């Protein structure tokens, strides 16, 4: 999980807060480049754990 200090990164990529959005490879790579230096944290949960 990438920790965001605010919602500007979500807005930059047009992603609604608290949602799951499927993206193509190009957008995924852009998002990874943008968030590469952000603090990351590993946690349990997500849609598989909730099912």
């Amino acid at each position: 999980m990438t920790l965001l200090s605010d919602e500007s990164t979500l807005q930059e990529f047009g992603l609604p807060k608290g949602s799951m959005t499927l993206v193509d490879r190009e957008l995924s790579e852009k998002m990874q480049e943008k968030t590469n230096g952000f603090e990351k944290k590993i946690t349990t949960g997500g849609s598989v754990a909730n099912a």
Side-chain angles (χ1 to χ4, degrees), residues 29-42:
E29 289 172 354
K30 287 179 184 177
M31 292 167 60
Q32 288 179 39
E33 287 175 17
K34 170 73 178 185
T35 61
N36 191 35
F38 289 18
E39 180 183 353
K40 307 240 183 333
K41 182 178 183 180
I42 296 176

Side-chain angles (χ1 to χ4, degrees), residues 12-30:
E12 180 179 340
F13 292 110
L15 301 171
K17 183 177 181 178
S19 70
M20 186 199 88
T21 305
L22 298 176
V23 297
D24 60 19
R25 174 177 274 176
E26 182 180 342
L27 181 54
S28 176
E29 289 172 354
K30 287 179 184 177

Side-chain angles (χ1 to χ4, degrees), residues 4-15:
L4 301 176
S5 59
D6 59 40
E7 295 181 29
S8 63
T9 303
L10 296 175
Q11 293 170 352
E12 180 179 340
F13 292 110
L15 301 171

